[in-house]
Amino acid sequence: MRMFLVLSHKYVGLFLGLLLSVTGVSGSLIVFDRELDELIAPETADFPYAEQLASFDLALENATEAVANGSAPTRIALGRHGGAPHIVRFPATEGAVGPLEVSVDPGSAEVLAIRGWGEYPVTWLYRLHMSFMGGERGEWLVGIMGFTMVFFCLSGLYIWWPRGGGRVWRKALTMTTNKGAFRTNYDLHKTIGIYFLPIFLVLGITGIEIVWHEPFERVVASILPVDPDITPQSQPQDLPRASVDRVAASAQAQFPLASIARIYMPADSSAVFRVTVSHPEEVWNEYSTTTVNVDQYTGAVISVRDGRNVAVGNTLLDWMFPLHNGDGLGIFGRILVFIAGLLPAILFGSGTYMWWYKRRAIQRRGQNQCSPAP
């Protein structure tokens, strides 16, 4: 059994380790996606810190005029703080890989930039991480990388597990750097693997859930209670759509201490406004599990899904994404995931070196055996 796992661990790593490294490095960089984007493209955040937010309706109106292609906005993601822009999304134009995104000054509602998702650096990283820029087939391959990560964790743990007493355990949990390149790479490989194993395992499982959410949810629902997914509806009326400012006020009134994260526009005449909010006691700040559904005509609240009061299965599912990007543990978690994403590349490099070193040693022994005696 051990020999089978050693060979599987080695050759799966040689064949898929590079892809896993690409997934990891790109994932590390998008942990701080908005901060990185604002650093790379300062024109999207070139405005004074906004103490008071401008009207959402004005921001959407200005964004719609700037896009000027007859399409309507689908959502507005509020800036992380007064120095970060709102992002208004519009449907993708023909031939585009993603939706149009308009950056808006939250204080003045002035349009700062219009960009296509997938066409600027941070979204290149997203496409690389989510699908290797290969569409649906690429997404499947990324899902397979999740299973690969879980396999590496379990097989690596079995291979590493010390067979002996305290001295053997101490040796297994430490590394040396003065016994040659092979031993250094070996110790580096097993030390990184064992200390970061819990994080790698979480990243692998949550990655699988993100790619195959529905099958994963069915598995969870077969084990744990999950609340039914009920889609609220607005009753079509001969009335204009409620203002977004009114919708935001209705949602805010439900949770006065919470902060609004995103407002999703109704997709048709019977759909609702969906407003996601973050509660002050929640550690994550890039994700929301609470949704307020607001009637698109009257601006009245129809239903609320409070992420703090859901079935156990829903809580587990709600934690998948914020654990994957580290946001579920605040800034500490994001830094931890950032570091963990870079490590598969080191593991691939050290593993490849050990394979090459052993292969070269075998070739040399073969040459020596074939050499004629003097």
Side-chain angles (χ1 to χ4, degrees):
M1 177 66 175
R2 189 175 190 280
M3 182 56 66
F4 170 76
L5 287 176
V6 168
L7 292 174
S8 300
H9 192 93
K10 175 169 62 177
Y11 288 108
V12 170
L14 288 171
F15 282 105
L16 297 181
L18 182 59
L19 288 178
L20 196 59
S21 301
V22 170
T23 304
V25 172
S26 58
S28 284
L29 295 176
I30 60 176
V31 164
F32 296 97
D33 56 345
R34 292 213 222 178
E35 295 91 338
L36 181 60
D37 183 43
E38 291 161 20
L39 179 65
I40 295 174
E43 68 276 8
T44 66
D46 187 16
F47 52 83
Y49 194 96
E51 298 291 346
Q52 183 76 28
L53 296 184
S55 161
F56 295 136
D57 288 294
L58 179 59
L60 291 165
E61 181 183 342
N62 289 347
T64 302
E65 288 181 0
V67 169
N69 64 2
S71 63
T74 59
R75 82 176 194 196
I76 177 171
L78 274 61
R80 296 173 292 112
H81 49 70
H86 295 331
I87 306 295
V88 182
R89 272 196 176 180
F90 291 80
T93 56
E94 185 177 356
V97 297
L100 276 177
E101 293 189 335
V102 181
S103 299
V104 179
D105 181 333
S108 68
E110 177 187 353
V111 171
L112 302 166
I114 302 175
R115 301 179 295 175
W117 191 96
E119 298 174 1
Y120 59 94
V122 169
T123 55
W124 297 342
L125 294 171
Y126 261 106
R127 291 180 63 203
L128 188 63
H129 184 71
M130 294 165 60
S131 66
F132 296 114
M133 297 190 176
E136 186 175 346
R137 291 183 179 180
E139 290 179 10
W140 276 69
L141 187 55
V142 169
I144 292 172
M145 291 302 101
F147 282 107
T148 303
M149 177 71 88
V150 173
F151 167 75
F152 281 145
C153 288
L154 299 180
S155 61
L157 178 63
Y158 183 88
I159 295 167
W160 167 87
W161 195 267
R163 278 79 174 168
R167 186 175 180 182
V168 176
W169 276 88
R170 283 194 298 273
K171 185 178 178 181
L173 291 168
T174 57
M175 67 173 291
T176 57
T177 57
N178 59 354
K179 294 186 177 180
F182 180 86
R183 179 59 185 272
T184 298
N185 277 274
Y186 174 80
D187 282 357
L188 179 68
H189 194 90
K190 55 102 172 170
T191 305
I192 289 176
I194 200 59
Y195 281 112
F196 278 83
L197 186 143
I199 303 170
F200 291 151
L201 198 57
V202 168
L203 292 176
I205 292 172
T206 54
I208 293 168
E209 188 275 340
I210 291 169
V211 174
W212 288 300
H213 175 73
E214 291 184 4
F216 196 98
E217 183 174 351
R218 287 196 292 269
V219 172
V220 171
S222 69
I223 303 169
L224 299 171
V226 173
D227 293 331
D229 186 11
I230 300 174
T231 303
Q233 298 285 309
S234 296
Q235 292 298 323
Q237 300 181 40
D238 189 18
L239 292 172
R241 180 178 287 182
S243 73
V244 177
D245 289 321
R246 181 179 178 183
V247 168
S250 295
Q252 192 73 72
Q254 290 292 312
F255 303 103
L257 299 180
S259 57
I260 295 175
R262 295 180 180 181
I263 303 173
Y264 294 84
M265 311 303 157
D268 54 50
S269 61
S270 62
V272 297
F273 282 97
R274 290 192 301 115
V275 184
T276 62
V277 303
S278 297
H279 300 286
E281 68 270 23
E282 293 175 332
V283 291
W284 48 60
N285 53 30
E286 296 289 332
Y287 186 66
S288 304
T289 61
T290 296
T291 303
V292 181
N293 300 301
V294 180
D295 187 279
Q296 68 166 295
Y297 302 105
T298 66
V301 173
I302 295 178
S303 64
V304 174
R305 193 261 194 194
D306 190 339
R308 300 170 301 178
N309 185 27
V310 293
V312 175
N314 294 98
T315 299
L316 175 63
L317 293 168
D318 285 345
W319 273 87
M320 291 291 106
F321 183 76
L323 283 177
H324 191 75
N325 73 353
D327 202 31
L329 299 176
I331 188 63
F332 171 76
R334 296 173 74 191
I335 293 173
L336 202 58
V337 169
F338 173 81
I339 295 171
L342 302 176
L343 297 180
I346 297 176
L347 293 172
F348 174 63
S350 59
T352 301
Y353 174 82
M354 289 188 289
W355 169 81
W356 172 81
Y357 185 95
K358 288 183 177 179
R359 183 178 176 83
R360 188 179 63 169
I362 291 172
Q363 289 175 340
R364 285 178 175 175
R365 285 199 299 269
Q367 291 172 355
N368 291 337
Q369 291 172 357
C370 293
S371 298

